[in-house]
Amino acid sequence: MKSLIRFSHILLLFFLSLPVFAEVGNRLDHTMETVWQKGGFVPQVQILELKADSPLHAEPMTSIREALLAQPVTTADSPNFGYSRSAFWVGFSLTNALDKPQNYYLEVAYNRLDNVYFLVTEPESGAVMTEFATGDLKPYANRPLETSNFVLPINFSTGKSYNVYVRIETASSSQFPIRVWTPDRFTEQNQTLAGITGGLIGMISVMAIYNVFLFLSLREKSFLYFALTLVSYAVVEGVLTGFAYQYAWPSLPDWNDTSLTFFGNIALASLMLFSRDFLAVKTTFPSLYKSFNIVAIIGYSLALLSLVMPYRTMIQISAANVILSPALGYGLSLIMIFRRHKLAYYYAIAFTFFVISAAVFTFSKSGFLPRTFLTEYSLHLSAVGVVVLFSFAMADRINFERRTRETAQQSAIDNLQKYRAIYEKSLEGMFRVLPDGSLLACNPAFARLLGVDSEEELLSTVHNTLSLIPASEETGQQLITLLNQHGHIFGFETKCRRLDGSEFWGAIFANKLEDADHQIIIEGSIVDITDKKENELQLSYLATHDPLTNLLNRNEFERRLRRALAASRESGSEHALIFVDLDQFKIVNDTSGHVAGDELLRQIGSLFQTHTREEDALARLGGDEFALMLKNCHIDKATEIGQRLRSEVAEYRFFWGSKVFNVGASIGIVPVTQEASTVEEVLSLADTACYAAKDAGRNRVIVHSQKAHDLTLRQNEMQVATNLLEAIKSDQLKLFYQNVVTTRPDVVGQHYEILVRLQQGDEIIGPGAFLPAAERYNMIRAVDRWVIETYFNWLHHHPDHLLELHRANINLSSQTIGESDFEPFLMATLDKYQIPASKICFEVTETTAIANLVDTAKFIQRLQSSGIQFALDDFGSGFSSYSYLKTLPVNTVKIDGSFIRDILIDPVDHAMVRSITEVAHLMGLSVVAEFVENAEIQEALEEIGVDFMQGYHLHVPEALDQHLR
């Protein structure tokens, strides 16, 4: 508010001063409107306007005189018709009332007129006494007097009267002040105006030179733009006052017109660039930065156009640009005043005068305001104010920048002192060395890190730090290579050595620099990260090893098996996988407890380790299952090792207290070659071979035969598929359900998963025996439809149960999801049996979902719109589960049972379950944990915070027909 009041006061003073300026101008004009003895006067004239279509253009002078006599007499000091295309005749009479002859100068006091024709005649006879043609389109040398305006000397006889006629044409503003002077008075007046104009142009030129020197000294472009503005305006001043034509280019009348619009637009464009930088538009108002550039480009373009375009057109466009261009900077400065930008005060004050003066000057030239001293010289006077104010502003800016630099220097000194204190007291070791390792400087922390008490002692003892940091020469060369390539290193972790030979882990941060003497140096810091590194190594070990036996865990074993499988595909190498399942292990657990069972597993693990090489991989997969991958081992050699393992386990005696146990091992062996498709398949085949050994009587070794396995499997599946088709027709499929237990108090009602079984006689066959065959032979879609139709029908006939039902989960296969007519079938079935869609949740496995991610997502979204919910089953089994979770719009996540099974003994599985639960909850999804096989697993899952659980510990699946609640 204070800024606004201060600026308002300045404007008020300016407007109050306008009448004073006007009065001064009027007095000056009135001094010319005196009697002859005082040297000059403004005659009363008659003016005849000849428009472009006037027939008088071709009439003789007699007709012109008659037309003039018909015009009214005007006493206007300066007739002004603006930018008119007409020609004008001015007529008046002069009488020498003195008693002696007298010379007088007849002046048209405006130098921008193209053609001026003087004609002096006797009143009675009409005889021509004097005639003369001049104008700014004619060479300056033709003028009878060296003046900036158009002057005709006339010799008056005593008591003689004359008629004076002046014809005027111009493409500029049609204004033609007529003055009559005595020679002495004219010379005095001309010298006064020349002095004022010369002083103004000289002052502007000096300021321009001063700003050029500032630019050369400070290299700041705003000074150069201001200098260019001043130089261009000085030329404009010279053109407007006529002095440029008189002294600079008297033989170039065409250029005299063009120069006004050329330099005028150059001045305006340069002023815009100066204003842009002076007001710091790029930082204060970045959105307007381009606007200033565009206006400047327009100004420079108009300057170039003035070289080829007609003067009449360009002078009117340029007159408009005089108002419009500065208005952008002026308006911005007014806004900045409210934001208390100091430099904006100077700019706003200067341009308040300039904008008003430019408007007055432009309106005067356009004929909207009469030509007075104030209108004629307002632009010149305001230019002085602008130059002075901007000069003060630039000086103030330089002074401010000087103070800023001094403040910055003092701040730098303070910061240097603070840095010195930090350097001395820092816990990080800081150093400066040459590329050859020579130590230049270090702080106390660096000295202590290497095992000495002070930096002076270290400097005198160590000559090559590269022998200590890093500890190995190879790592040192790697560090130097990275520095040479990138110029810096960040957090380079390596082992280092102290002077006493002990080692520690350090993280190095360094930059390669060039000092003032152009010498390459390396400076940086090092942090002791020994504790962190040991913790990382411990965590890495726990993430890849079984905590009970210290063998590899399942995840790490699968990773190494995957690598071996990839090597087989690339090089054709052959490996072998031995899968071991202990026999009679349950007897040890049941009779002596889990502590005894754990100790047996540790001892068996140690026994197996005696048969492994460094490149082999031995793992405990979970429970009493072990796996051994033999790198670059033929199946025959693997069979021999498998037999040896079986024999040693059979002969092994496990002592626990007073009890002695014998255990056996059922072993399955499978080759790992380039024909194997996936890790999962290899493990499945090994597991199948192991179970074949158990089925054959235990304590045996079975080697997988791919050909026999595939043939048997295919024959079995074909038989199962044939039986399944008949089972659907004869209604031999049966619906079972397994309860889903909730940990959330807000969930009320029954919640279960619908399962399908095959009944053959009194035997109930599980889904694993027939669903794979149904998928292979494209019968799974019929199974899915049978399940939906049968279950919805059952719900329809048990309305009380339907009312109590919270949600029922039903599995959908990938083939069903991709079926085009499944959605109409589903919606029709829901409608047929009047089943609320919100009570149904379809489960889609992660493998099914990612097979066609986009289509599956669209399928889920369409059905969700009707209220049906979706669960992502077997979550975590894929490699990019979290990314799929963000893409698929499911409501529930069912964690893969492989993570739940060993959650109590495998910390990685425990961490995975916790991570999946937290991420799902963060996304607003509920979480279901499967394979809850005992109370301990249930308790662990409740502690993690899963929403629902299901498994044999909580509920053994039952036939749906028995569910009558």
Side-chain angles (χ1 to χ4, degrees), residues 255 258 261-262 265-266 297-315 317-318:
W255 171 246
T258 303
T261 55
F262 179 80
N265 285 298
I266 291 286
I297 291 173
I298 292 173
Y300 288 126
S301 301
L302 290 176
L304 295 176
L305 282 175
S306 67
L307 300 176
V308 295
M309 293 287 288
Y311 172 74
R312 180 183 294 275
T313 301
M314 290 307 303
I315 190 63
I317 296 175
S318 300

Side-chain angles (χ1 to χ4, degrees), residues 650-867:
E651 295 173 0
Y652 189 77
R653 299 294 180 269
F654 174 64
F655 296 92
W656 186 258
S658 59
K659 298 178 182 178
V660 180
F661 297 94
N662 295 332
V663 292
S666 296
I667 298 177
I669 304 177
V670 62
V672 181
T673 64
Q674 58 187 355
E675 284 79 18
S677 59
T678 63
V679 168
E680 289 75 15
E681 180 185 357
V682 173
L683 286 171
S684 176
L685 293 176
D687 186 56
T688 301
C690 181
Y691 274 96
K694 283 185 176 291
D695 292 340
R698 300 179 184 271
N699 197 29
R700 296 174 184 272
V701 175
I702 296 293
V703 179
H704 167 75
S705 172
Q706 185 66 39
K707 183 175 180 180
H709 174 75
D710 289 347
L711 181 60
T712 303
L713 182 62
R714 183 63 54 86
Q715 290 174 341
N716 290 340
E717 286 185 343
M718 290 176 64
Q719 183 62 44
V720 169
T722 302
N723 295 339
L724 182 60
L725 182 61
E726 184 62 29
I728 295 175
K729 293 180 179 179
S730 59
D731 203 29
Q732 293 180 13
L733 292 178
K734 300 296 180 183
L735 292 182
F736 277 59
Y737 75 99
Q738 184 179 37
N739 284 331
V740 178
V741 177
T742 182
T743 61
R744 290 165 39 183
D746 60 316
V747 177
V748 179
Q750 298 190 52
H751 187 185
Y752 50 76
E753 180 181 357
I754 294 296
L755 308 172
V756 63
R757 301 286 189 267
L758 177 62
Q759 185 171 11
Q760 291 184 342
D762 295 332
E763 182 181 6
I764 300 296
I765 301 174
F770 62 92
L771 287 184
E775 290 186 350
R776 178 182 292 273
Y777 293 98
N778 297 323
M779 297 178 62
I780 191 67
R781 290 176 290 186
V783 174
D784 287 347
R785 292 195 179 208
W786 181 89
V787 170
I788 292 171
E789 179 85 12
T790 304
Y791 177 61
F792 285 6
N793 182 36
W794 186 88
L795 287 177
H796 181 72
H797 288 89
H798 296 82
D800 293 338
H801 175 79
L802 178 61
L803 188 64
E804 295 179 7
L805 178 64
H806 171 66
R807 188 162 293 120
N809 289 20
I810 302 174
N811 289 280
L812 284 183
S813 68
S814 59
Q815 295 178 23
T816 298
I817 291 176
E819 195 174 14
S820 60
D821 61 345
F822 172 73
E823 290 181 45
F825 160 77
L826 175 63
M827 304 312 296
T829 308
L830 284 169
D831 185 65
K832 175 182 178 182
Y833 296 108
Q834 297 297 303
I835 307 300
S838 60
K839 293 182 179 288
I840 304 301
C841 176
F842 287 118
E843 293 185 10
V844 180
T845 64
E846 183 177 343
T847 305
T848 297
I850 66 177
N852 197 333
L853 196 60
V854 175
D855 290 342
T856 302
K858 291 179 180 179
F859 171 84
I860 292 174
Q861 289 173 337
R862 289 195 300 270
L863 293 188
Q864 279 181 333
S865 64
S866 64

Side-chain angles (χ1 to χ4, degrees), residues 215-230:
F215 166 71
L216 295 175
S217 174
L218 302 177
R219 296 295 175 182
E220 188 172 335
K221 290 183 179 180
S222 59
F223 293 107
L224 181 61
Y225 296 143
F226 191 45
L228 184 57
T229 303
L230 293 174

Side-chain angles (χ1 to χ4, degrees), residues 431-435 438 440 483 487 510-516 518-524:
F431 59 86
R432 287 167 59 89
V433 300
L434 295 175
S438 300
L440 299 177
L483 273 174
N511 289 295
K512 186 178 179 182
L513 306 172
E514 186 176 300
D515 63 11
H518 304 290
Q519 184 181 31
I520 300 299
I521 61 171
I522 299 171
E523 69 175 19

Side-chain angles (χ1 to χ4, degrees), residues 451-473:
V452 296
D453 295 330
S454 66
E455 56 268 39
E456 291 80 8
E457 182 181 352
L458 184 63
L459 287 168
S460 62
T461 305
V462 176
H463 302 289
N464 183 6
T465 54
L466 292 179
S467 62
L468 302 173
I469 302 175
S472 72
E473 182 178 350

Side-chain angles (χ1 to χ4, degrees), residues 183-377:
D184 293 342
R185 179 62 176 151
F186 176 79
T187 302
E188 177 186 349
Q189 178 80 0
N190 200 39
Q191 289 176 348
T192 300
L193 291 177
I196 293 173
T197 303
L200 176 61
I201 294 175
M203 182 190 71
I204 294 175
S205 301
V206 169
M207 290 304 302
I209 294 171
Y210 173 68
N211 279 274
V212 169
F213 280 114
L214 286 177
F215 166 71
L216 295 175
S217 174
L218 302 177
R219 296 295 175 182
E220 188 172 335
K221 290 183 179 180
S222 59
F223 293 107
L224 181 61
Y225 296 143
F226 191 45
L228 184 57
T229 303
L230 293 174
V231 169
S232 300
Y233 184 73
V235 176
V236 170
E237 281 288 333
V239 174
L240 289 175
T241 57
F243 287 96
Y245 191 36
Q246 182 177 354
Y247 297 108
W249 42 78
S251 301
L252 301 173
D254 291 335
W255 171 246
N256 190 49
D257 274 348
T258 303
S259 61
L260 178 61
T261 55
F262 179 80
F263 285 104
N265 285 298
I266 291 286
L268 290 171
S270 302
L271 180 62
M272 287 300 96
L273 295 179
F274 164 74
S275 303
R276 179 196 68 187
D277 295 346
F278 181 79
L279 296 175
V281 176
K282 195 168 188 177
T283 55
T284 54
F285 289 90
S287 59
L288 292 179
Y289 185 78
K290 288 186 178 179
S291 300
F292 277 83
N293 291 339
I294 292 172
V295 173
I297 291 173
I298 292 173
Y300 288 126
S301 301
L302 290 176
L304 295 176
L305 282 175
S306 67
L307 300 176
V308 295
M309 293 287 288
Y311 172 74
R312 180 183 294 275
T313 301
M314 290 307 303
I315 190 63
Q316 296 181 52
I317 296 175
S318 300
N321 195 28
V322 169
I323 297 177
L324 298 178
S325 286
L328 178 62
Y330 180 58
L332 179 60
S333 67
L334 295 178
I335 296 174
M336 293 177 66
I337 284 177
F338 288 94
R339 300 191 180 185
R340 300 188 178 183
H341 289 270
K342 185 177 181 182
L343 292 178
Y345 286 101
Y346 291 105
Y347 194 96
I349 294 171
F351 270 89
T352 296
F353 293 108
F354 183 80
V355 169
I356 295 175
S357 301
V360 169
F361 182 80
T362 302
F363 291 147
S364 170
K365 296 306 177 188
S366 301
F368 297 108
L369 292 176
R371 186 181 189 275
T372 65
F373 176 84
L374 181 62
T375 61
E376 189 67 15
Y377 288 92

